[in-house]
Amino acid sequence: MKSKQTPKSFLLILLLVLLASVALFIFYITRPSHQAKSVVEEFYTYEQKAQFSDSWELLHSQMKDKFTKGHYIQDRAHVFMNHFGVETFSFTVNDVKKMDEWSMEKGSKPLKGVYYMTVVQTFKGKYGHFRLHQDVYVAKEKEEWKILWDYHK
């Protein structure tokens, strides 16, 4: 009799472990810090592929006020691909931290619940290997996470 209950107990425990794992995974991917980091990774993946139109769409409206879509696409391609003489780059996203309030520049509207991280882009081009470190901020706008850069002087 015990031998028949053991497989059932094992299956029940296995099912509970599986359900707990799924619940933890869902909790992890729905955390705001994970979502903020994911949008940064998506943004720089588009940039790697020179899909600047797609990366521009992930910018916050305060960023879009700084340059038109056409200007952004042209400038990013010129500076990173043509000027630096590279075809692509690799990147890492480091240490996601939450800020209660942050503003993009003096006089801009303060944003609440902003996530901050440092992105390191590694380029290999005609001027050798070099890394660009940039602080990146992510804030919700109309229920979507959007990218911002720091313009404080």
Side-chain angles (χ1 to χ4, degrees):
M1 194 178 229
K2 282 187 177 182
S3 64
K4 288 183 181 179
Q5 289 178 347
T6 304
K8 288 181 182 178
S9 298
F10 176 75
L11 288 175
L12 181 61
I13 291 170
L14 185 62
L15 180 62
L16 290 173
V17 168
L18 181 62
L19 287 173
S21 298
V22 169
L24 285 172
F25 177 74
I26 290 170
F27 172 75
Y28 176 75
I29 64 169
T30 58
R31 284 188 357 223
S33 61
H34 178 77
Q35 292 174 343
K37 183 177 181 181
S38 291
V39 79
V40 170
E41 290 170 341
E42 182 181 3
F43 177 87
Y44 283 97
T45 298
Y46 286 140
E47 296 269 305
Q48 274 182 323
K49 297 174 183 176
Q51 294 174 334
F52 302 116
S53 176
D54 293 326
S55 57
W56 188 86
E57 294 297 333
L58 296 175
L59 295 175
H60 192 277
S61 63
Q62 290 183 23
M63 291 288 294
K64 290 178 178 180
D65 288 343
K66 292 210 159 280
F67 28 73
T68 65
K69 187 175 187 176
H71 182 253
Y72 179 83
I73 293 167
Q74 184 179 10
D75 225 25
R76 295 296 275 192
H78 174 73
V79 170
F80 289 104
M81 304 306 175
N82 299 337
H83 194 67
F84 288 161
V86 298
E87 292 181 21
T88 190
F89 59 89
S90 59
F91 70 91
T92 57
V93 180
N94 301 318
D95 303 327
V96 180
K97 297 175 186 161
K98 185 177 182 183
M99 303 175 76
D100 292 329
E101 187 174 280
W102 178 82
S103 62
M104 187 174 78
E105 59 190 337
K106 187 178 179 178
S108 66
K109 179 183 174 189
L111 303 168
K112 297 193 183 303
V114 175
Y115 286 88
Y116 153 81
M117 58 212 82
T118 302
V119 174
V120 180
Q121 294 171 269
T122 302
F123 297 90
K124 296 176 181 175
K126 66 182 177 183
Y127 299 112
H129 297 178
F130 59 96
R131 289 185 181 91
L132 177 67
H133 296 243
Q134 185 171 24
D135 296 334
V136 178
Y137 301 82
V138 182
K140 268 205 170 176
E141 183 175 49
K142 297 179 183 173
E143 300 305 312
E144 291 184 29
W145 292 103
K146 298 293 184 172
I147 305 284
L148 297 116
W149 296 321
D150 188 347
Y151 283 89
H152 288 98
K153 294 182 181 183

